[in-house]
Amino acid sequence: MKPISLVLISVAALSAGCQPTTAGAPGAGKPAQVAAVGVHTVAPQSLSITTELPGRTTAYQVAEVRPQVGGLIQKRLFAEGADVKAGAQLYQIDPATYQAAYNSAKAALAKAKANLAAATPKVARYKELVAIEGVSRQDYDDAVAAAEQARADVEAAAAALDSARINVDYTRVAAPISGRISRSNVTPGALVTAGQANALTTVQQLDPIYVDVTQSSTDMLRLKRELESGSLKKNGGQARVTLLLADGSKYAQEGKLQFSDASVDPGTGNVVLRALFPNPKHDLLPGMFVRAVVDSGVDEQAILVPQQGVTRNPKGEATAMVLNKEGKVEQRVLATGATVGDQWLVKSGLSAGDRVIIDGLQKVRPGAPAQVAAKPATTAAANQRAAQ
């Protein structure tokens, strides 16, 4: 029986030697490693709130030039697309018939003045004679009436002369405002009529220039409530506006908000806002598409969080991982506003002092412990340690 016992003991010893040893395994009995993360500490700050809105440029003044008398166009006296001054002559209409009417009215006035010159002394003489009964009272009254008629004729002839002179002046079609003139719709030899439907040309004042932008009535009401509640404060008097052009560049001049429309478009639910911009170089032309950045007010307790610290959950809600005071990770649902550079403006969900995780998000989950990663040593300190 001894040989069998020896075999069993050897097998038992061999089996025991094949079992893994846990007592001496590295890391046995040690706690799991805590994830090191980078955080952004929330600190409210004063922030100018802006709203970016689409819009189009509109001329400050627009004048459609139409003739005020009829006739043939003799000359065009401007270069299409040029800048013109108010009062500059643009067209010449044939003045012959109007000049003849003016000369006739001038002669009629001279005749009326001559009749008045003859009637006035007669009244003076008859006044003396009627006192001594040299003439009848009826003759005196007729002389007075004739003098008054002559005076009225003079006034009527003077008015007719003024009307004829105005018509002669209207044959010289002038620019009603200063600005840039468009192409001409008529050529010399064309027959025009007074007050015709088709304009001869158009003059637009481009400096300054309007920018009409649209804002939804919902956003307008929200801003109004925020201003009334005090969470948003007005930044001075008129709101400042900057422009982004169609190619993405920023317009050099700053404008001011003039007014908002008194009604809401029932089709779109938008309100039109009008801003006024200097345009000395005529870089802005009517009809250009732009984006206006309107200064809505100042939020003195604005919370900004780097965009890499904000993600979206399956519901589409903005969320952030926050490292609480106990060193545990919390997930917060946020209400975000506009982006400011590379940061989100957070309306709710965070408060001052919260530590938002922005680095190492892939290493943590809600409820897990985490710690703030140590800041990397400076290059000088690292080199000193390397030398030691």
Side-chain angles (χ1 to χ4, degrees), residues 343-356:
Q343 297 179 303
W344 281 108
L345 175 63
V346 177
K347 295 293 186 179
S348 64
L350 295 174
S351 56
D354 284 343
R355 297 179 295 175
V356 179

Side-chain angles (χ1 to χ4, degrees), residues 90-297:
L90 305 178
Y91 297 94
Q92 177 63 57
I93 297 175
D94 185 4
T97 56
Y98 301 102
Q99 187 64 49
Y102 174 79
N103 294 337
S104 176
K106 188 176 181 180
L109 177 59
K111 180 179 179 181
K113 285 182 177 179
N115 292 335
L116 178 61
T120 302
K122 187 176 182 179
V123 172
R125 290 194 302 269
Y126 275 30
K127 186 176 182 180
E128 295 176 358
L129 293 173
V130 78
I132 60 174
E133 297 183 354
V135 295
S136 67
R137 186 73 184 178
Q138 182 64 49
D139 290 338
Y140 172 73
D141 291 342
D142 290 343
V144 171
E148 292 297 327
Q149 180 67 46
R151 187 172 293 106
D153 290 343
V154 169
E155 293 179 357
L161 180 63
D162 286 341
S163 178
R165 178 185 54 79
I166 291 172
N167 285 337
V168 171
D169 290 342
Y170 280 161
T171 63
R172 296 184 291 272
V173 181
I177 61 173
S178 297
R180 180 163 294 180
I181 195 165
S182 65
R183 64 184 179 88
S184 176
N185 296 322
V186 295
T187 59
L191 178 63
V192 296
T193 57
Q196 65 183 35
N198 296 328
L200 304 181
T201 187
T202 303
V203 181
Q204 300 182 92
Q205 182 179 343
L206 304 181
D207 183 26
I209 194 168
Y210 286 127
V211 174
D212 292 336
V213 298
T214 55
Q215 182 182 37
S216 70
S217 56
T218 303
D219 289 342
M220 182 190 69
L221 291 173
R222 176 181 56 80
L223 287 173
K224 185 177 181 180
R225 285 194 295 267
E226 289 178 352
L227 289 169
E228 290 175 349
S229 66
S231 60
L232 196 64
K233 295 186 177 180
K234 287 186 177 180
N235 190 1
Q238 289 180 304
R240 296 175 299 176
V241 188
T242 56
L243 281 186
L244 299 176
L245 303 180
D247 61 356
S249 62
K250 184 177 180 181
Y251 182 60
Q253 302 286 340
E254 185 180 90
K256 292 185 177 180
L257 191 65
Q258 294 291 295
F259 74 94
S260 61
D261 209 342
S263 60
V264 177
D265 187 332
T268 62
N270 292 333
V271 179
V272 175
L273 308 179
R274 170 163 281 186
L276 186 64
F277 281 82
N279 191 27
K281 297 182 179 179
H282 295 176
D283 293 331
L284 300 177
L285 298 177
M288 290 178 64
F289 175 78
V290 294
R291 296 195 68 82
V293 181
V294 183
D295 187 356
S296 302

